[in-house]
Amino acid sequence: MEITGTFTQIKFRSDSGYTVAYFYIPEERDEIVAVGYMPEIQEEFTYKLTGKYVDNANYGFQFEVETAQKVEDEKSLIRLFSGPFFKGVGEKTAQKIVNYYGMDAIRRIKEDPDSLDNVPGIREKIKTAIIEGLQNVETDEAYFMLASIVSPRIAIKSKSYYEKRTPVKRTLSEIFEENPYRIYYDINGATITAVDKLALSLGVEKDDMRRITAFADRVIRDRTFKLKDSYLTDGYYRKALYEEIGIDEFTYDMVIKALVEEGRIVLEEDRIYPYEQYEAEEYIAGYLAQFPLEGFDRVEKEDVDEMLRLVEERLGIRYQDRQREAVESFFSEDLLILTGGPGTGKTTIVKGMVQLCTKLFPQYTIALCAPTGRASKRLRQLSDKDAKTIHSLLGWDLEINEFKVNEDEPLGADLLIIDEFSMVDQLLFANLLKACRYVRKIVIIGDAAQLPPVSIGNVLQNLIDTNLFKVVRLEKIYRQKEGSEIIQLAYDIQHQQCEDLSSGRDIGLVECSIPQIKDALIKVTEKALQKYHTIEEGYQNVQIIVPQYRTVNGIDELNAVLQKAFNPPSKNKREIKIGRNIYREGDKIMHLRNNSQREVYNGDIGILREIIPARESPTDKDIIIVDYEGTELEYGRDDGDTFTHAYCMSVHKSQGCEYPIVIFVSSEEYSHLLMRKRLVYTAVTRASQYLVIVGNKNTFLRSLTRKEHEKQNTTLKERLLALLG
């Protein structure tokens, strides 16, 4: 296979040329380790690598390089001309411009705009768009440099950010002169690799402290994110900086001093925190220590019991002891944590809480939210109240990476209910609490047995472990009378009672070897889709969940295989290649960014309806139209990181979602670090009606007995105990 990435650093290189190096792969939004015999590699350059991914028993997943070839930087200039600055200019036209002028295209066009008449295929309308684009953008070259070297999108975001955030408008040239690495610090999505390339082209020396400090900042953020820790110890950070940057003891002290002075890190005893993680822990603890400033009005237990009886009659249910305790605790506790697995009655309890609050306190406003779009939709359906994603509730501004609803502009809500709280990291929770000045009561709902957040912290477990807050644990399976084998399996997994696995009414088991998984998966999926009237209806209700990306039966490989099986190439279907993916009309697609205006959220599933090639497009650019259950979104080539194939998805990506039929792949090839009880439990509990396990039964069972990762390094629990204990 072939991948393209930017070289970031050498880990090892022998005299014979055998190299272990890191490359940033934009299409995968991730860094990889490449190994093999390579020519001398130059920093900040892009390389085309051929080879294959291998799972090394000692070092994990690596890309085994066969050839490594430097890519000239014409791509960035083509991306600039086909970007948003030049309306109507597509990639093919941009290629013609660069072919004619070379890398000096911008200067030559500015000096002689009429020379565009000599470029083959340039119409008058396109010529006008190019000239206007060059005239309307900032007069200095900085904007163009940022767009061509980093990306047009980062250039636009930077311009907007500095106009909104800087009291006195400053040009990008002034920002670059002060410290070009501010782009990396300030702009969400700007990678250190790309910004460093820009900085070096501006004349920054490799030993410039601004450069070293920026890379040191990258190291602590990367390491804390990968470890899910809110801090690194001094010894660990010192070693990491030596390994990745090669700085000595003297430079280390200078870097720490610079990072502290710039407000990038906080030192506390032997711990070094990224500033925002330290501030998040401090804010959460400080807020909860004073919460609430004003509580709910007091309600007599007799009144609660009477209203609860009316709710039971209206809903046609009878609350059991633990469920009744949860509803009653809702009125006696300022912060209530409700935790339990599927079938334990969380939905029924939330319905009761919302209805009781509405009846007893009609003057109070209720805000309901969840971390994902699909989870918020489910919460809306079960509560009959509006529910939003947390980001939507807080009015997240993507351009400047800030929340509009905050301490200065707080929520106008009295009651806040947060569902799927196991997915909420500590930085997001801190931002949510900053908007809760007037909130009188908070209800947290989550399954503590599920995977912790993708980002830093494990707030739900931290809050429970303090024993400072009322926790109602729901363990009894109330839906078991319906005979759900899935719920029983989830219960058995959680209580370490799952000693064997066999097919049943609600659970299917298809045992097969690693080479057989693809064929077995196609057959099982085909049978599942036949339960629905159309394949599109099936796509919404049948979901394949896979633990890992880069293996023989990983997500990337299986998506390609399943696309070929269920939406093969056809002369009647247009297709387009973006990065390494081929998208085809009729594909199953997943959206990867929250779009609250169109109510399409991260994790939503849709169908690729139409591909309009640039030659037919009114914008002279390729357009991809995806239908998300009646809501159509348009994508361009530059939006490749906002959608992907969804024939199968990761366990993390499925979290907060529920599907009637889930097909879970269990293979010996998956890393033991991934295949653990929490991951398997989370995957199993995504199925509401039927679960099929494809692969190796023993791998599935062994994962349930492996110890989970060691405790995360956070100090949120200690801060809470210090203030409230």
Side-chain angles (χ1 to χ4, degrees):
M1 66 182 297
E2 181 182 284
I3 59 175
T4 301
T6 303
F7 167 67
T8 57
Q9 64 171 306
I10 290 279
K11 191 75 172 175
F12 169 80
R13 185 173 177 85
S14 69
D15 294 338
S16 64
Y18 183 81
T19 305
V20 179
Y22 287 97
F23 287 83
Y24 180 77
I25 312 299
E27 292 162 6
E28 300 185 19
R29 301 183 296 282
D30 197 7
E31 216 171 40
I32 65 159
V33 178
V35 299
Y37 291 94
M38 306 180 210
E40 185 177 351
I41 302 174
Q42 294 176 272
E43 290 184 72
E44 296 87 40
F45 277 90
T46 299
Y47 286 81
K48 184 181 292 182
L49 307 177
T50 63
K52 61 183 178 181
Y53 282 108
V54 295
D55 188 1
N56 186 292
N58 295 319
Y59 301 107
F61 281 92
Q62 302 175 329
F63 189 81
E64 200 172 77
V65 176
E66 294 175 2
T67 63
Q69 181 179 3
K70 187 167 74 173
V71 177
E72 294 302 326
D73 218 16
E74 285 188 354
K75 272 190 175 180
S76 61
L77 197 55
I78 293 168
R79 189 172 58 195
L80 171 64
F81 276 112
S82 60
F85 307 139
F86 304 96
K87 295 181 180 179
V89 179
E91 194 170 318
K92 290 181 179 178
T93 303
Q95 179 74 64
K96 291 177 183 177
I97 294 169
V98 175
N99 287 346
Y100 182 82
Y101 290 108
M103 294 301 292
D104 203 22
I106 292 174
R107 183 188 62 79
R108 292 176 63 186
I109 295 171
K110 279 185 171 183
E111 290 177 352
D112 183 11
D114 288 334
S115 64
L116 284 165
D117 295 332
N118 300 323
V119 179
I122 296 289
R123 306 192 302 273
E124 191 64 30
K125 184 175 76 169
I126 297 298
K127 176 183 175 182
T128 302
I130 294 169
I131 294 170
E132 288 179 353
L134 293 174
Q135 290 173 342
N136 292 336
V137 181
E138 290 180 317
T139 55
D140 62 313
E141 294 291 324
Y143 201 52
F144 290 105
M145 287 185 68
L146 185 56
S148 59
I149 295 176
V150 181
S151 81
R153 180 173 293 177
I154 294 299
I156 290 173
K157 289 175 72 172
S158 299
K159 186 172 186 293
S160 175
Y161 179 88
Y162 293 117
E163 285 179 351
K164 289 183 179 181
R165 292 290 300 271
T166 308
V168 179
K169 184 180 178 182
R170 304 175 68 195
T171 66
L172 285 171
S173 292
E174 292 170 323
I175 297 292
F176 290 172
E177 186 175 349
E178 176 193 325
N179 184 359
Y181 293 97
R182 280 188 58 181
I183 302 295
Y184 158 69
Y185 292 129
D186 296 339
I187 309 303
N188 187 36
T191 66
I192 185 65
T193 306
V195 174
D196 187 49
K197 188 175 179 181
L198 168 72
L200 292 172
S201 71
L202 291 167
V204 173
E205 299 293 333
K206 290 189 176 182
D207 60 355
D208 190 304
M209 274 303 296
R210 295 174 299 174
R211 181 175 189 261
I212 295 171
T213 303
F215 273 92
D217 180 84
R218 191 282 304 264
V219 170
I220 193 169
R221 292 175 193 285
D222 280 1
R223 292 292 180 105
T224 50
F225 182 82
K226 288 175 182 177
L227 295 168
K228 312 304 179 191
D229 293 343
S230 59
Y231 66 86
L232 301 179
T233 63
D234 179 78
Y236 183 96
Y237 189 36
R238 192 182 297 263
K239 183 180 178 183
L241 287 182
Y242 176 76
E243 290 175 347
E244 296 201 30
I245 308 176
I247 64 174
D248 55 25
E249 292 291 314
F250 176 73
T251 309
Y252 176 80
D253 292 337
M254 293 175 61
V255 165
I256 292 295
K257 182 181 178 182
L259 288 171
V260 170
E261 289 176 350
E262 293 176 14
R264 307 291 176 195
I265 63 173
V266 175
L267 307 182
E268 188 179 68
E269 297 178 357
D270 188 45
R271 300 183 295 272
I272 303 175
Y273 299 78
Y275 172 79
E276 63 272 16
Q277 294 301 331
Y278 176 85
E279 195 266 346
E281 289 191 0
E282 284 276 285
Y283 193 90
I284 293 168
Y287 177 92
L288 294 180
Q290 299 179 14
F291 177 76
L293 297 179
E294 184 179 356
F296 263 36
D297 295 338
R298 180 178 173 80
V299 183
E300 297 298 329
K301 186 177 183 302
E302 294 77 15
D303 294 334
V304 174
D305 291 340
E306 177 60 31
M307 292 300 297
L308 194 53
R309 280 193 289 272
L310 294 175
V311 169
E312 287 177 328
E313 290 177 10
R314 187 178 299 112
L315 298 178
I317 60 171
R318 177 67 61 185
Y319 284 111
Q320 303 299 316
D321 290 345
R322 189 56 64 88
Q323 293 175 309
R324 182 174 291 274
E325 176 193 348
V327 178
E328 291 174 349
S329 297
F330 170 75
F331 291 97
S332 61
E333 302 293 331
D334 297 320
L335 189 148
L336 174 65
I337 300 173
L338 189 62
T339 183
T344 54
K346 295 193 298 293
T347 298
T348 307
I349 293 168
V350 173
K351 282 183 178 179
M353 288 177 178
V354 171
Q355 293 203 15
L356 279 172
C357 186
T358 303
K359 290 293 182 183
L360 291 170
F361 302 107
Q363 74 277 23
Y364 288 170
T365 302
I366 304 173
L368 299 100
C369 62
T372 69
R374 293 183 74 93
S376 67
K377 285 180 181 178
R378 263 198 5 256
L379 184 59
R380 185 185 311 148
Q381 292 165 356
L382 69 90
S383 64
D384 294 324
K385 294 279 186 181
D386 186 32
K388 298 180 178 180
T389 65
I390 297 174
H391 281 77
S392 178
L393 183 71
L394 298 181
W396 184 47
D397 188 327
L398 177 63
E399 284 188 347
I400 60 174
N401 194 28
E402 285 188 352
F403 294 107
K404 296 176 183 176
V405 182
N406 49 42
E407 288 175 287
D408 298 325
E409 299 290 337
L411 288 168
D414 301 282
L415 166 64
L416 177 67
I417 298 177
I418 316 164
D419 197 11
E420 294 288 352
F421 193 78
S422 63
M423 301 172 66
V424 177
D425 62 77
Q426 64 184 26
L427 189 57
L428 182 57
F429 189 46
N431 279 297
L432 180 56
L433 293 183
K434 286 177 182 178
C436 290
R437 185 197 306 170
Y438 303 126
V439 171
R440 301 163 179 258
K441 189 182 292 290
I442 296 175
V443 178
I444 288 171
I445 306 162
D447 187 348
Q450 286 190 29
L451 288 169
V454 174
S455 194
I456 294 170
N458 191 352
V459 184
L460 177 59
Q461 197 63 55
N462 290 158
L463 294 177
I464 292 172
D465 289 346
T466 63
N467 294 316
L468 295 171
F469 309 102
K470 174 69 176 181
V471 179
V472 178
R473 292 178 172 84
L474 303 170
E475 296 181 341
K476 184 176 179 181
I477 303 175
Y478 296 104
R479 275 160 51 189
Q480 189 54 33
K481 62 184 180 182
E482 301 170 14
S484 173
E485 295 173 346
I486 298 168
I487 293 174
Q488 185 61 52
L489 175 61
Y491 181 89
D492 290 344
I493 289 172
Q494 182 56 20
H495 292 81
Q496 298 180 329
Q497 297 173 3
C498 184
E499 297 179 355
D500 199 4
L501 192 65
S502 58
S503 295
R505 183 180 58 257
D506 303 331
I507 298 175
L509 175 63
V510 179
E511 290 200 75
C512 52
S513 64
I514 291 174
Q516 297 171 328
I517 284 178
K518 291 184 178 70
D519 288 339
L521 191 58
I522 290 171
K523 291 177 182 177
V524 169
T525 305
E526 188 173 41
K527 186 176 180 180
L529 292 173
Q530 288 173 356
K531 294 179 179 291
Y532 298 93
H533 296 297
T534 66
I535 193 168
E536 294 181 4
E537 185 185 356
Y539 283 165
Q540 291 291 340
N541 292 284
V542 178
Q543 187 57 54
I544 301 164
I545 298 178
V546 181
Q548 200 162 332
Y549 277 90
R550 299 182 193 133
T551 62
V552 173
N553 291 297
I555 293 168
D556 295 334
E557 182 71 19
L558 290 179
N559 262 324
V561 169
L562 291 162
Q563 179 197 39
K564 187 176 180 180
F566 296 104
N567 190 30
S570 167
K571 62 180 180 181
N572 299 320
K573 293 182 178 181
R574 285 173 166 163
E575 58 184 48
I576 184 172
K577 186 175 183 182
I578 300 179
R580 62 180 177 180
N581 293 327
I582 295 175
Y583 293 98
R584 187 174 296 125
E585 291 174 342
D587 270 343
K588 181 179 181 180
I589 299 294
M590 178 167 58
H591 189 64
L592 300 175
R593 297 283 189 277
N594 289 332
N595 187 331
S596 55
Q597 290 183 331
R598 302 299 304 279
E599 293 194 335
V600 177
Y601 299 100
N602 186 356
D604 280 358
I605 304 296
I607 305 297
L608 200 163
R609 294 291 185 202
E610 187 177 7
I611 295 172
I612 304 174
R615 64 179 180 276
E616 299 176 14
S617 166
T619 63
D620 287 335
K621 296 184 180 182
D622 297 314
I623 296 175
I624 301 161
I625 300 174
V626 179
D627 178 6
Y628 294 97
E629 298 187 76
T631 300
E632 289 190 346
L633 288 189
E634 289 188 5
Y635 302 98
R637 282 186 174 275
D638 290 339
D639 299 316
D641 61 345
T642 64
F643 67 98
T644 189
H645 289 116
Y647 296 99
C648 62
M649 66 172 66
S650 69
V651 180
H652 271 295
K653 189 60 72 175
S654 73
Q655 206 168 352
C657 306
E658 191 175 79
Y659 305 94
I661 300 176
V662 165
I663 303 168
F664 179 65
V665 182
S666 171
S667 176
E668 305 100 301
E669 70 199 270
Y670 300 146
S671 168
H672 291 178
L673 295 175
L674 286 173
M675 287 292 285
R676 296 173 185 268
K677 185 171 78 170
R678 280 184 183 272
L679 181 136
V680 173
Y681 173 85
T682 303
V684 165
T685 53
R686 300 310 92 205
S688 62
Q689 296 177 15
Y690 201 79
L691 170 72
V692 185
I693 299 163
V694 175
N696 188 285
K697 179 176 77 170
N698 291 329
T699 297
F700 182 95
L701 294 172
R702 279 196 298 270
S703 68
L704 308 182
T705 61
R706 291 194 189 103
K707 289 183 179 180
E708 294 292 339
H709 296 296
E710 293 182 7
K711 179 185 173 184
Q712 291 170 315
N713 285 328
T714 72
T715 42
L716 176 59
K717 175 184 172 182
E718 288 72 19
R719 295 185 198 283
L720 287 165
L721 288 171
L723 291 175
L724 291 165

